[in-house]
Each structure stands twice: as structure tokens, then as C-alpha cells.
Amino acid sequence: MKKLILKDVKILEQHFERLDVLLNDDRSLALLPTLFSIFCFSRSIAYITREVRTEDLASTVRRETFIQEHSITQSTCVTYVARVFEFAKYCDQLEESFVDINSDRLMNRYLNESLGKRVTSIATVEVAKSALSAYRLFLLKLDLGDLPNLNLRSEIIANLNSATIVHSATDYVSREERTIIKQACSNDRDRLIIRCGYQLGLRSSENRALLLTDQYIKEVRQPGLLSLFKKADNETSEVFAYTLNGVYTKFKKSRVIYIPRQLLLDFYDYYKNERRYYTQKSNEKREGKHLFIRYDSAGKGEAISDRHATNIFLKARKTSVLKEAPISYHKLRHTFATEYFATLIKDKSGQYYSEANALYLVGKRLGHANPSTTSRYVRLLEDLKIKESIEF
């Protein structure tokens, strides 16, 4: 089986920025998984179940299960569809005369006997379980199945938890773990701050360095985010350079970061909507220069604190299935560096850097004062390979 990733396509007047399609070995369409992909990418929702417990006057307890829609992000769509496709490939490789791909038996077998024994993170299996459950509920809505009953065996959970403890030295946060953390955040501001960790490599305190207004650094005017928003409207660039003022960095040295276009557009959406809502509710009702502001009653409209990113990551982790995972906001910075290093030593265009030159570029992007600090990312490549099933 083969997965195709389509960009900027239109199907029945519906435009898709991205659509994943699964083909069988004979190039025919794997229909149901692809229909699930179309559903997720077109509506950005997934089905989940909610159990309601009622008790009547005779103390008879009844439990009812309801299916409801749940909004998901684009990255979650990508993850869910990828997990369903991976399950379909697993079924395709089974040497059995009849395979009911939509059965509890086969899905539980895949989660416990295949995936659960291959990975080292409980988060990976939990995300796969959520994805398969969403897929089954989608089929149920089409009258093609029944309610899923997916369970992880206790020994699999115990083994994965043990693996997490052994693997606690890792500084790489997987895509599944990032998705879970973002889902546990309560607002757009905090989800964007999480992304700043692994897409920009920012330290917790450096989120305060994202300023709306232009600023002078060493007597040179540097564009603020408002200027970059206008630039994004007029240019098709995929990345936009922004200078972090040394006032906000660890070693008091300014450095340039490169903001991906989609992240910049999401900054703009946050600025126009959620941020403006809280700015108007603040006592002073003024714009302020910081992109990320506080929402609490005591400091509404003021800049977030240096530890805000650290605190919201910890809160999200504790309220998710990752509460025991040895990950932190600062490890998102390590994740950014590891992935950037990986792209430098294996560039799709065929342009490769030596490890020494790649480490130099990573250190420059991170603002490291000592080159030896950057050398850890050679070791972290192994974590990247294991967690994301990537080969170099």
C-alpha cells in the first residue's frame, strides 16, 4: 500500500490545502480510509464518545453512550489519518484468508501485539487508539459498523511506562506528544506558544521577545510582527526573518529567527481575534507591544511572564495521558534543534552539510554561546529515528 499527499486540490468544489490518499498495491483506492481522510481534512473534526450516567428513583443506574463531534487541528488530522493508514497497511500484510479491517479484534491486536511492542512511548499508542476510535465512529455514522471497544492490555501499559522511565534522558518530544500537549491547552495563545518551542526553538522567556511594533537594535530598525503581517499579505515567501532583541535572550545577544508562513498567519489570526478580545476587556484597553498577553484578572492585557510557557506546558502535560512523561517546554527547543539538524545533514534538494557545519548553523539559530552545547543533537538523532520512524 502507498500513501499519496496531495496539495491544493479540489474535489466536488471542496478545496483542500492538503489531502492524504491511500492506494492499494494495484493502485486502486483504499476507499474507507481515504473517505475518513477526506472527512477529517474537509471539516477538521473527529467523532468521540461521551458516556452519560443516570439514576432513577429506584436507584437503577443506566449508562448511555453518545457520539459527538470534536474539533481537531490540522496537525491532528495529519496524525489521525497517518495512524489509520498505518493500521490499514498492517492489515494488508497479514497472511489470513479473511481480514475484517474494521473489527475490535484486529484493532486491539494491532495496538497491543504490534504497535505496543514496537514503540517506547505510551503517547504513541494512545494517539493511535484515539485515531482508530475516531475512524470506527466515522464508519458507524455511515452505518458501516458498531461502537468501538478498544483497550490496551495492562502488561502493555506497564511495559510502555517502564520504557518511558528508562528513556527519560531523551530531549526529543515526538509529534504525537506535541499533538497531545496542544490538545490539552485551553486557548489559542498557549497552543501557539507550544509551537514556538518546536518551530522556532524559543526558550520560555523568549516568547516575550515576539513584539508587534518595529524596534531599533544597534541603531538598525527591525520589523515587528505587524510589519511581517503586512509583508505576508504581499509576498509568497515561506519563511519570514524576525530579530529577537537581546534584551529578552539568555545571553543578551540579539539573533535572527525564521518564522514559517503558516505560523505567522496563525499569529495574525490570534492577534485579530483572541488577543483583541482580551485586550478590549483589560482595564487600560491598550494595544501593548507584546504578542502574547495575560488573560488573568490581575494582569489582563499585560505581557506574559518569563515562565509562562514552562507553566502552561506543565499544566497541559499533567491533564493529559502524558502526566508521567519526562518532557518539558525546554525540550521542545531541543526538538526544534534536532529536526533542524536532521534537515541540514539530509536536505531533500540534495544539498548536504557536514555534521560540523550543521552543528554550527543550529547553534547560531539557537543562540548558543558555546558550540559544545550544540553537540548533543548528534545523539538526539537516534531519538528522532526511533520516535518518528525516520531513516537517514
Side-chain angles (χ1 to χ4, degrees):
M1 303 187 89
K2 181 179 180 181
K3 181 173 76 171
L4 296 180
I5 300 177
L6 308 179
K7 298 290 183 69
D8 292 321
V9 295
K10 183 178 287 188
I11 300 177
L12 298 177
E13 302 304 316
Q14 171 75 49
H15 176 260
F16 294 84
E17 290 185 5
R18 169 177 174 152
L19 180 63
D20 295 4
V21 174
L22 188 64
L23 301 179
N24 295 309
D25 291 335
D26 62 1
R27 307 291 291 178
S28 63
L29 192 67
L31 183 60
L32 294 181
T34 300
L35 285 177
F36 175 69
S37 176
I38 293 172
F39 172 75
C40 289
F41 282 107
S42 64
R43 301 187 60 187
S44 294
I45 65 171
Y47 290 118
I48 60 173
T49 56
R50 180 172 61 90
E51 189 175 89
V52 176
R53 181 181 182 274
T54 59
E55 186 174 346
D56 58 23
L57 295 176
S59 297
T60 302
V61 176
R62 293 185 177 86
R63 290 182 173 84
E64 292 184 87
T65 300
F66 296 91
I67 301 174
Q68 63 184 38
E69 294 181 351
H70 174 66
S71 296
I72 57 176
T73 63
Q74 174 84 353
S75 62
T76 303
C77 289
V78 173
T79 300
Y80 274 22
V81 170
R83 292 306 170 200
V84 170
F85 282 10
E86 184 180 295
F87 169 69
K89 291 179 182 179
Y90 163 80
C91 295
D92 189 55
Q93 295 169 359
L94 293 176
E95 297 180 357
E96 296 182 12
S97 57
F98 174 75
V99 175
D100 183 3
I101 188 174
N102 303 319
S103 68
D104 285 332
R105 180 189 69 83
L106 200 55
M107 288 186 173
N108 281 320
R109 177 176 160 188
Y110 165 73
L111 290 171
N112 289 282
E113 298 180 16
S114 176
L115 186 64
K117 293 181 179 179
R118 286 191 291 111
V119 301
T120 58
S121 170
I122 185 68
T124 301
V125 185
E126 288 286 359
V127 169
K129 178 184 171 186
S130 297
L132 293 177
S133 178
Y135 173 61
R136 286 281 298 283
L137 292 172
F138 165 73
L139 295 180
L140 177 57
K141 283 288 187 176
L142 299 178
D143 292 326
L144 294 175
D146 49 15
L147 280 172
N149 182 23
L150 307 182
N151 298 288
L152 299 180
R153 295 201 296 263
S154 57
E155 65 269 23
I156 295 297
I157 296 174
N159 289 338
L160 288 172
N161 284 334
S162 297
T164 297
I165 295 171
V166 171
H167 205 56
S168 63
T170 183
D171 284 335
Y172 181 81
V173 183
S174 72
R175 293 189 181 98
E176 286 88 356
E177 289 167 334
R178 290 175 241 168
T179 297
I180 291 172
I181 292 295
K182 285 187 294 183
Q183 288 176 334
C185 291
S186 60
N187 54 62
D188 290 338
R189 175 200 63 191
D190 292 348
R191 281 185 282 272
L192 286 172
I193 289 173
I194 296 299
R195 289 172 64 187
C196 286
Y198 66 82
Q199 288 189 267
L200 302 179
L202 298 189
R203 298 179 177 91
S204 178
S205 60
E206 290 174 345
N207 284 283
R208 287 167 50 85
L210 296 174
L211 305 179
L212 296 169
T213 54
D214 293 355
Q215 54 185 326
Y216 282 90
I217 300 176
K218 294 184 178 180
E219 300 182 355
V220 177
R221 183 167 180 161
Q222 301 291 350
L225 292 173
L226 291 178
S227 295
L228 293 186
F229 295 156
K230 293 179 181 178
K231 191 174 182 181
D233 278 340
N234 300 318
E235 296 183 9
T236 58
S237 302
E238 288 302 313
V239 291
F240 296 83
Y242 175 86
T243 303
L244 291 179
N245 195 321
V247 172
Y248 300 98
T249 64
K250 184 176 180 180
F251 299 106
K252 305 303 178 186
K253 289 185 178 181
S254 300
R255 74 176 189 274
V256 178
I257 60 173
Y258 296 88
I259 305 175
R261 182 181 190 83
Q262 189 56 57
L263 180 59
L264 183 66
L265 294 178
D266 291 341
F267 281 167
Y268 187 35
D269 184 68
Y270 158 75
Y271 166 74
K272 291 186 300 180
N273 296 291
E274 185 176 288
R275 185 186 187 280
R276 183 164 294 169
Y277 170 79
Y278 283 100
T279 299
Q280 292 173 349
K281 290 186 69 174
S282 66
N283 293 329
E284 297 185 18
K285 295 184 179 180
R286 58 188 177 84
E287 175 93 330
K289 65 179 182 179
H290 296 273
L291 175 65
F292 296 126
I293 58 173
R294 291 168 58 181
Y295 296 166
D296 58 289
S297 57
K300 192 173 294 178
E302 298 177 5
I304 59 171
S305 70
D306 285 349
R307 289 191 54 80
H308 180 86
T310 298
N311 293 337
I312 60 113
F313 187 98
L314 180 61
K315 180 180 178 182
R317 195 194 75 196
K318 286 184 174 179
T319 57
S320 73
V321 296
L322 300 174
K323 52 181 174 290
E324 301 299 331
I327 55 176
S328 65
Y329 185 82
H330 194 71
K331 290 186 178 182
L332 293 178
R333 175 173 157 86
H334 297 165
T335 299
F336 162 80
T338 304
E339 293 183 340
Y340 181 43
F341 178 66
T343 63
L344 292 174
I345 63 172
K346 188 179 181 181
D347 190 275
K348 291 181 180 178
S349 66
Q351 299 294 320
Y352 302 102
Y353 290 87
S354 67
E355 285 192 357
N357 287 336
L359 286 173
Y360 168 78
L361 292 172
V362 171
K364 188 174 181 180
R365 187 72 66 90
L366 292 176
H368 280 163
N370 188 339
S372 64
T373 307
T374 318
S375 61
R376 75 183 70 182
Y377 302 113
V378 178
R379 174 178 56 81
L380 289 181
L381 274 183
E382 194 58 34
D383 289 313
L384 175 63
K385 295 175 189 176
I386 293 170
K387 288 194 171 187
E388 309 295 5
S389 301
I390 294 175
E391 294 193 7
F392 292 96

